Amino acid sequence: MARASSPAFSEPRLISTTDDLATTLTRLRAEPYLTIDTEFMRERTYWPELCLVQIGGVQEVVLIDTMADGLDLAPLAELMADASVLKVFHAARQDLEIFLHLFDALPTPLFDTQVAAMVAGYGDQVGYDSLVGSITGHAIDKSHRFTDWSVRPLSAAQLTYAAGDVTWLRRVYEQLMKKLEQEKRLDWVSAEMAVLTDPSTFRADPEKQWERLRARTTNRRMLGILRAVAALREREAQRVNVPRQRLLKDESLLEIAATAPTTQDALARVRGVSRGLAEGRTGQGLLDAVAQAQALPDAELPRLPKNRSKDAPRASAALMALLKVLLTSCCEEHDVAPKLVASMEDLEALALDPSAPNPALSGWRKAVFGDAALALCKGEIALGVKGDKVDILTR
């Protein structure tokens, strides 16, 4: 593929004052869409530390130094809430989490080119550099991908790198829109954007954190303690703004749930729990959480999800294999990413009970894969090989 010429933008401009930010964003809000990206740090904090916001317009790119002294981000909040301006991101989830935390609202309306690329057949969760290369032929500079964006001053090379994340995104967005319009798949993208417009997507529920720990037990009392201490850790991590694993590792929570300590000494004997933590506010919170879980009546204790229980039915491995082949074949035919159409959990649920509600059996997914999957489960079709492709045979 021929290398594309660089978009016709002026040099990126760094904004560090509130007046400049307000004036610039007022001008940019007159445009129908803007490309947006962020640079942030999260290694040492629970909440992302926003360091830079990049915004690309028709003829200019601005870089907002969110760490500049005295900078008021209110004009940026107004832009994010302006329904007349489409906000285009790539792989938007972390960016959206940042804006939701800052402004208590998600940007609206929005468009995620990673989701759109999956609908348009560019593969599962395609990266920005790969997508830019596929669509424009331009090779993205990766040299500053792991730079520390919190250090000031930012170098000219860093600013150029950051600007590239929104300049080429305009080309990507425009080409994707053309393809999606031609293939009449804009409705597919709109359906997938729904999850990104729901604030609950980005707000961790402390009471559900225990589920991600994959406890290997059916003891409901232990699960109740695990739920309580995992929720306590989540709230404490948010309060002191440190990563949950840095505050207390998953393995320590599992041991606390198994041993149910009642004293500071017993808590300090748990691997990964320091004496200082056991004797401090977090330690007391953990002991209180254990005590409260121990006092719960049996009816209020959690259960493992059915699909993780030792007694849960298991889908036929052979049928699962056939469904995977069918999924790949259908997605090749429609040029769409398989991961977007059905997850392994969707396939297992389908194999166990084709009549149960299933994301793969609704909306556009039903036409692409769901109808054929139901027919396969009912024995109405078979799979064969024709040339170099899988062939669906009517029985």
Side-chain angles (χ1 to χ4, degrees):
M1 182 181 292
R3 185 184 177 91
S5 59
S6 178
F9 289 99
S10 58
E11 287 297 310
R13 186 167 60 82
L14 186 64
I15 293 177
S16 57
T17 70
T18 303
D19 287 345
D20 191 6
L21 179 63
T23 301
T24 301
L25 294 191
T26 297
R27 181 173 64 251
L28 287 173
R29 283 171 65 179
E31 300 195 15
Y33 80 90
L34 298 170
T35 50
I36 301 173
D37 191 32
T38 66
E39 304 297 345
F40 59 92
M41 302 295 292
R42 199 173 194 169
E43 287 79 1
R44 300 179 296 272
T45 59
Y46 180 95
W47 305 109
E49 180 184 11
L50 183 61
C51 302
L52 196 71
V53 176
Q54 305 99 284
I55 301 179
V58 173
Q59 293 184 322
E60 65 179 320
V61 173
V62 296
L63 310 176
I64 304 169
D65 184 359
T66 56
M67 303 183 72
D69 289 341
L71 182 65
D72 184 350
L73 292 178
L76 180 60
E78 293 172 5
L79 168 64
M80 293 299 162
D82 189 340
S84 69
V85 184
L86 180 68
K87 292 84 178 173
V88 178
F89 297 84
H90 182 83
R93 284 179 177 260
Q94 293 193 85
D95 304 311
L96 298 179
E97 181 188 2
I98 289 171
F99 290 126
L100 179 61
H101 180 60
L102 277 178
F103 305 134
D104 198 32
L106 289 169
T108 184
L110 62 90
F111 187 95
D112 189 330
T113 56
Q114 185 179 69
V115 173
M118 293 170 73
V119 172
Y122 286 93
D124 288 337
Q125 295 182 316
V126 60
Y128 178 64
D129 49 350
S130 298
L131 187 59
V132 170
S134 296
I135 290 179
T136 73
H138 176 75
I140 294 292
D141 174 18
K142 302 179 183 179
S143 58
H144 291 282
R145 175 165 293 180
F146 300 109
T147 194
D148 187 341
W149 292 99
S150 66
V151 174
R152 295 295 185 271
L154 295 170
S155 69
Q158 284 177 302
L159 298 178
T160 299
Y161 169 89
D165 285 340
V166 291
T167 53
W168 293 99
L169 189 55
R170 295 186 67 87
R171 288 263 184 97
V172 167
Y173 167 71
E174 290 167 357
Q175 291 301 314
L176 283 174
M177 285 297 291
K178 286 181 182 178
K179 184 172 183 181
L180 293 168
E181 287 172 348
Q182 290 170 355
E183 297 176 352
K184 296 181 171 52
R185 295 189 180 184
L186 284 176
D187 288 345
W188 297 15
V189 177
S190 297
E192 297 312 302
M193 292 297 169
V195 69
L196 296 179
T197 61
D198 182 355
S200 66
T201 300
F202 309 97
R203 288 179 170 144
D205 183 350
E207 297 300 324
K208 293 184 178 180
Q209 288 303 301
W210 71 277
E211 297 175 358
R212 54 177 291 275
L213 298 181
R214 299 283 174 178
R216 297 179 179 179
T217 182
T218 56
N219 184 314
R220 294 181 64 198
R221 185 65 57 183
M222 179 177 168
L223 293 176
I225 297 173
L226 183 62
R227 179 178 64 184
V229 295
L232 184 281
R233 180 185 67 170
E234 194 71 15
R235 294 189 182 98
E236 280 293 287
Q238 292 175 358
R239 182 184 68 84
V240 299
N241 196 25
V242 298
R244 60 174 71 93
Q245 291 281 5
R246 181 169 293 189
L247 181 67
L248 195 62
K249 292 188 179 300
D250 291 348
E251 293 79 4
S252 299
L253 289 183
L254 290 165
E255 186 175 346
I256 291 171
T259 59
T262 59
T263 66
Q264 292 177 348
D265 286 342
L267 181 59
R269 286 194 290 272
V270 172
R271 184 174 181 178
V273 177
S274 67
R275 171 64 63 174
L277 186 145
E279 295 179 350
R281 172 173 171 167
T282 300
Q284 187 57 54
L286 289 167
L287 292 173
D288 291 343
V290 170
Q292 290 164 10
Q294 290 282 48
L296 284 175
D298 290 349
E300 296 181 19
L301 294 172
R303 298 179 185 272
L304 281 179
K306 287 184 179 180
N307 62 350
R308 285 172 50 195
S309 170
K310 290 187 296 184
D311 300 325
R314 294 287 182 261
S316 161
L319 179 54
M320 283 290 291
L322 287 175
L323 286 170
K324 291 176 187 177
V325 172
L326 179 64
L327 174 64
T328 302
S329 176
C330 290
C331 291
E332 282 182 353
E333 179 184 350
H334 290 86
D335 195 21
V336 62
K339 189 171 184 177
L340 193 64
V341 176
S343 66
M344 290 302 103
E345 290 78 11
D346 296 335
L347 295 185
E348 185 168 12
L350 184 61
L352 287 169
D353 185 2
S355 65
N358 193 309
L361 302 178
S362 63
W364 62 269
R365 291 177 174 82
K366 186 172 186 293
V368 170
F369 168 70
D371 288 335
L374 286 174
L376 180 67
C377 291
K378 294 175 182 177
E380 296 172 353
I381 62 171
L383 301 180
V385 177
K386 186 175 183 180
D388 61 350
K389 292 186 177 182
V390 171
D391 191 24
I392 298 177
L393 308 173
T394 302
R395 300 184 66 175

